[in-house]
Amino acid sequence: MKHMVILLTLVAILASLTVISVKAVSGMITFSVMDKMQLTYPIFYIMFIIMIASCVFQVKFLNQATKLYNTTTVVPVNHIFFTISAIIAGIIFYQEFLGAPFLTVFIYLFGCFLSFLGVFLVTRNREKEHLQQSYIDFGNIPGKQMLDKIQPDSHSLSYGTLPDGSDSTKSQSGERKEV
């Protein structure tokens, strides 16, 4: 469970970054259409690159989570983490609830709670899965030698056996040595 939480926390952090950058890019495009051209400022392109990069890495980590765990487990947890991270990002960066009446904020948060409760109720009777791989694959590390293929697989040739079936423990004179 801790591996899935780590992966989906990374997805949620990237999702909040995606939400922030998408809102910035869409706001700049809207402002360019309505009033003053914003596409000439470098911040638009920086936010556009951040938007694309965060989407790509978000999909990468989500794909890794679905490889390790069943999608019926990953999707509900991702929904909850994504929603919470998007709400927190909106509250912090765009002050969405600033000046809103208490009842509006309460109804919004209560709606999110009902959504989370619905996700929990739908997925509570799912059978638990065991981890297929005991590690999270972050890809190849440049310059690091791969040492994971030292031992032969159970389907490969055993030690001391040549591909033609002969034994590699024969002496120079052709006699077999007992190993």
Side-chain angles (χ1 to χ4, degrees):
M1 183 66 173
K2 64 183 176 182
H3 297 287
M4 184 175 65
V5 170
I6 291 170
L7 281 170
L8 294 181
T9 301
L10 289 170
V11 171
I13 291 170
L14 288 168
S16 65
L17 187 60
T18 303
V19 167
I20 293 166
S21 60
V22 165
K23 185 160 181 168
V25 168
S26 66
M28 286 185 246
I29 290 173
T30 303
F31 197 65
S32 295
V33 170
M34 298 294 204
D35 194 22
K36 184 180 176 193
M37 181 58 76
Q38 298 290 308
L39 306 181
T40 58
Y41 296 107
I43 190 69
F44 172 78
Y45 298 102
I46 291 170
M47 293 307 285
F48 188 77
I49 291 170
I50 290 172
M51 178 182 72
I52 298 298
S54 64
C55 285
V56 167
F57 285 107
Q58 181 181 349
V59 168
K60 179 184 177 191
F61 287 125
L62 191 58
N63 187 24
Q64 185 68 35
T66 56
K67 284 181 183 176
L68 292 172
Y69 298 96
N70 192 352
T71 55
T72 58
T73 307
V74 172
V75 171
V77 175
N78 183 50
H79 170 71
I80 292 171
F81 281 16
F82 173 80
T83 304
I84 290 172
S85 69
I87 291 170
I88 291 172
I91 290 171
I92 292 173
F93 288 99
Y94 296 109
Q95 301 174 353
E96 290 179 340
F97 293 139
L98 187 65
F102 174 75
L103 185 60
T104 303
V105 174
F106 176 75
I107 289 173
Y108 181 80
L109 295 177
F110 184 67
C112 292
F113 170 74
L114 287 177
S115 172
F116 299 156
L117 181 64
V119 168
F120 172 73
L121 291 175
V122 166
T123 61
R124 70 179 169 168
N125 291 330
R126 304 274 184 205
E127 59 187 54
K128 296 190 179 190
E129 261 186 63
H130 298 289
L131 186 62
Q132 296 169 353
Q133 296 175 340
S134 61
Y135 63 93
I136 299 171
D137 183 18
F138 286 103
N140 293 334
I141 301 171
K144 183 174 179 176
Q145 183 181 4
M146 298 302 290
L147 300 175
D148 62 341
K149 297 293 181 190
I150 293 175
Q151 296 292 329
D153 296 335
S154 61
H155 303 298
S156 69
L157 301 172
S158 63
Y159 288 118
T161 305
L162 297 175
D164 63 356
S166 62
D167 193 356
S168 65
T169 58
K170 289 184 181 177
S171 66
Q172 295 282 345
S173 63
E175 297 175 1
R176 259 188 202 268
K177 293 183 182 178
E178 295 288 326
V179 181

